Amino acid sequence: MADIFGVRVTADLNILDSLIIISNSSSGQTEPAVTFADENYFVAWLDPASQTRNASVNVARVDTHGIVLDNGVFLGAGDYHPDIAFDGDRCLVVWSEEFHGVIGRYVNAACLPEGNTMEIALTLGCSTEPAVVFGTLNYLVVWADYCSTGTSLDVLGQLLSTNGQLIGDRILIAGGGAVQERPAVAFDGNDFMVVWVEDADKICGRYLTVNGTPIGEEFLISNDTPYERQYPSAAAGTDKYLIAWSEYHDDFDVYGNLDVAIGVAETNASLPVVGSTVLWSQLQKYLAADARIYDILGRHVSTRKIAPGVYFLKTEEKILQKIVVIR
C-alpha cells in the first residue's frame, strides 16, 4: 500500500532527514499536498488509496524539526486531488468529489477543521482536479470541467474569501474547442498565474488580476512539439515564474520554462512602447480607470508607492507607455 512520506530540504538542497513518516496506516494513502503555515507544515492527502470513491481527506501538521504532530485529522469524503493553501490565519483544503464538484474546508492552526465542508463549485465532470492559492485578500480555486455543451474540458476558477464566501461568478480561464485539464495556480504578490495541459501535448498559461479578471489571452509555455505532457506546476520568483511539467520522450522526464515574466516586461515586442518624463504630481493624468503601473521588474505597484524611477503604464487598449518619474 502507498504511504505518505516527506523530507526537509535546505535552501542549498541539502536533505536533512532520511525519511519522515507522515502517515502509514494499513489502508494506504495517496495524493499528498503541502503548504507552510507560520510555524508548521500542513500536509493533506487521501486515505485509503485503494478506495476510488468517497475516500477520506485527511490533514496533519509537521513541525520544522520534522516531527509529525497529528495522526491524520479527517476533513471530509473526497475522490481526487486534495490541495492546500494558507491565508496567514488558517488553511483551506480543496478536493474533488466525483460527479458532484469542488469541495473545501478550513483548518485552523491547531489542525482542527473549522465550519462544515463547502461546495465551491458544482461541476459536470467526474474528476475536476482542483488547485488553490491565496492572493492578497481571497483564495483562487481553479479546476477543469466540461464546457456548457459537455464536449470538452475547460479551465474555470472561483474566488473565495477567508470566511467562505464565493466572490463573484465562476471565471472562464481557458475554453474553446481544445481540451484543457490538470490546472495549477501561483500568485506573485500582484497577479495570479494559471497553467494547464492543453490537448495532452501542450502546457499553456494565462494571467489573472488579484480580482480574478483574466489579463490578455492564453499563451504557450512549452514548445509545440507533439510530446505527451502532464502535471504542470508553477511558482513565482522575483521577476520570473518557473513552470515545470512531466514530458514523455523515451520515458517521462521533468522539463521547465523560466521565460514567463511577472507583470509586464520592457522587452514585450507585441505592444507599442512610447516614452515620456513626468513629475510625480503630473502622473495622475496618465491613470485612466483601466490603467496599471508596473516597475522595471514587471511588478504591479500602487500609485501611492511610486518613487522617482522608471515605470510602465499598461491599459486595456494594450498601450504600453514607458514613464520616467522625477521628484
Side-chain angles (χ1 to χ4, degrees), residues 150-316:
T151 56
S152 68
L153 285 168
D154 296 334
V155 174
L156 303 172
Q158 176 69 58
L159 290 174
L160 182 74
S161 74
T162 55
N163 61 8
Q165 298 298 311
L166 300 182
I167 308 298
D169 298 326
R170 63 175 62 187
I171 307 158
L172 177 61
I173 299 169
V179 175
Q180 294 108 351
E181 58 186 335
R182 292 178 174 162
V185 60
F187 182 67
D188 63 28
N190 294 293
D191 297 313
F192 297 106
M193 166 61 62
V194 182
V195 299
W196 62 88
V197 178
E198 186 154 312
D199 285 339
D201 61 2
K202 292 182 286 292
I203 304 298
C204 295
R206 195 175 190 185
Y207 297 100
L208 277 72
T209 70
V210 71
N211 296 319
T213 303
I215 303 173
E217 302 299 324
E218 68 173 73
F219 54 90
L220 186 65
I221 294 172
S222 66
N223 59 32
D224 203 17
T225 52
Y227 293 111
E228 181 182 354
R229 295 179 170 98
Q230 298 181 358
Y231 303 110
S233 182
T238 54
D239 60 345
K240 301 282 187 180
Y241 284 95
L242 174 61
I243 292 93
W245 63 89
S246 176
E247 184 172 317
Y248 188 87
H249 293 244
D250 296 324
D251 55 14
F252 276 107
D253 297 308
V254 176
Y255 288 77
N257 185 324
L258 198 56
D259 296 329
V260 180
I262 291 174
V264 178
E266 183 175 3
T267 57
N268 190 335
S270 65
L271 301 176
V273 179
V274 294
S276 60
T277 300
V278 299
L279 295 171
W280 185 92
S281 60
Q282 299 172 323
L283 185 61
Q284 295 302 315
K285 74 177 183 179
Y286 289 87
L287 300 181
D290 62 354
R292 292 168 68 82
I293 294 284
Y294 298 85
D295 65 16
I296 59 173
L297 294 179
R299 297 174 298 195
H300 177 240
V301 295
S302 167
T303 56
R304 297 189 302 272
K305 298 180 180 179
I306 289 182
V310 178
Y311 298 90
F312 295 91
L313 174 75
K314 183 182 179 184
T315 71
E316 289 298 324

Side-chain angles (χ1 to χ4, degrees), residues 32-67:
V34 62
T35 192
F36 186 70
D38 278 344
E39 297 180 352
N40 300 301
Y41 301 96
F42 281 66
V43 184
W45 68 88
L46 292 180
D47 185 350
S50 60
Q51 187 167 319
T52 58
R53 292 293 309 276
N54 295 317
S56 296
V57 179
N58 292 346
V59 64
R61 294 169 299 168
V62 179
D63 72 14
T64 55
H65 301 288
I67 299 172

